[in-house]
Amino acid sequence: MSTVNDRFLPDRSAPLLGVKNLTKRYGSGGAAIDGVTFSAVAGEILGIIGPNGAGKTTLLEGVAGLLPVNSGDVFWRGEPLRVGCRRDVMFYLPDGVRPYQDQSALQVVSFVGNVFRRSDADIKSAIEALGLKPVLRKRVHSLSKGYARRLMLTIGLLAPHDLLLMDEPFDGFDLRQTRDVMGVLRRQTARGRTLILSIHQLRDAERICDRVILLSAGQVRGAGELAELRAQTGLPNGSLEDIFLALT
């Protein structure tokens, strides 16, 4: 189900999301993000890749309209998307947040499901998909880091928006858990959703992303599919780590 109003869909041939020259400065220091430009195509997983401090969270918050930026524009299918309208078409899952900490995980999921008018079957399916059942009766503040992340991802599955922005969705998971969550996210795109993921673990990004934006010191250093980036850097068998080091 989509919340997108027809006025946001004037050109279905345009990228779902376009970001042009987004810049955010803090005080007299340098720019946290500096002239960032990229686009996201419907149904893909796009990775915003870079080390801690690269500007990934600032970029996602700026795109979502949660953080005021100094300059730049955001477009939805080719048309300017005002800050006040962004919550209608995209849903942002931040890193390290535990909503309603004194409530049980079940209470939080049920509340979110009701807000988004999801059926009991939808809520149950999201809980099962993220393996949240063992901790449904626990209060949010007592959840482990991994289960707190599962709770946030469950909320993301229940959100009806076409575009999900996720900050470090695999943080707190081991190798097997990460693989399982990647399967969940891939099934979301198979149903038509678009995901933009902030990821600092390059191996995770290489496994899940259709395309990547390489971000360093707030600037885009490279963008494209892995094969395109290999050609650009002259590293035909290079890993994403090799490519990132070559471009930064």
Side-chain angles (χ1 to χ4, degrees):
M1 181 177 68
S2 172
T3 61
V4 181
N5 190 286
D6 288 342
R7 62 194 174 95
F8 292 132
L9 304 176
D11 182 4
R12 290 189 174 275
S13 66
L16 184 75
L17 180 78
V19 175
K20 185 175 181 180
N21 295 326
L22 211 65
T23 297
K24 173 63 179 179
R25 296 185 179 88
Y26 290 103
S28 59
I33 51 172
D34 186 7
V36 172
T37 296
F38 69 91
S39 62
V41 178
E44 76 171 342
I45 296 179
L46 178 67
I48 307 296
I49 311 304
N52 292 331
K56 301 186 302 297
T57 298
T58 300
L59 177 56
L60 290 184
E61 291 180 348
V63 170
L66 300 175
L67 182 70
V69 297
N70 295 95
S71 60
D73 299 289
V74 175
F75 300 88
W76 187 261
R77 295 201 183 274
E79 289 294 315
L81 184 60
R82 294 185 295 106
V83 170
C85 296
R86 293 180 196 173
R87 68 180 61 184
D88 296 329
V89 297
M90 63 181 77
F91 190 79
Y92 174 56
L93 287 176
D95 182 26
V97 171
R98 294 174 181 247
Y100 308 107
Q101 295 198 29
D102 290 331
Q103 302 296 313
S104 71
L106 179 59
Q107 287 174 314
V108 173
V109 171
S110 298
F111 171 74
V112 171
N114 290 332
V115 167
F116 291 133
R117 300 181 181 179
R118 306 307 293 262
S119 68
D120 290 343
D122 288 338
I123 295 172
K124 180 180 178 182
S125 177
I127 289 171
E128 291 177 350
L130 270 308
L132 198 62
K133 190 173 181 179
V135 297
L136 286 178
R137 302 297 175 183
K138 288 189 175 182
R139 295 186 185 276
V140 172
H141 68 76
S142 68
L143 296 179
S144 68
K145 184 176 183 180
Y147 273 115
R149 175 62 59 187
R150 290 174 186 268
L151 173 61
M152 290 299 293
L153 291 172
T154 302
I155 291 172
L157 260 59
L158 291 172
H161 303 70
D162 288 335
L163 175 61
L164 293 183
L165 310 176
M166 298 183 172
D167 196 358
E168 299 292 354
F170 310 117
D171 194 24
F173 295 138
D174 62 26
L175 180 63
R176 185 178 300 277
Q177 293 166 343
T178 297
R179 184 183 63 183
D180 292 342
V181 172
M182 285 181 177
V184 173
L185 299 185
R186 181 56 67 186
R187 288 191 289 275
Q188 290 293 301
T189 61
R191 297 168 184 165
R193 300 186 91 172
T194 303
L195 308 181
I196 298 180
L197 314 180
S198 162
I199 306 175
H200 75 274
Q201 292 289 353
L202 298 182
R203 291 185 179 181
D204 290 342
E206 190 169 335
R207 292 164 62 196
I208 187 64
C209 298
D210 298 308
R211 291 189 304 122
V212 297
I213 307 297
L214 302 180
L215 197 66
S216 178
Q219 296 182 335
V220 175
R221 307 293 184 173
E225 297 178 4
L226 183 58
E228 294 171 332
L229 293 169
R230 283 172 171 165
Q232 179 183 342
T233 55
L235 299 171
N237 299 309
S239 67
L240 191 55
E241 180 178 338
D242 296 329
I243 292 167
F244 187 86
L245 291 174
L247 292 174
T248 60

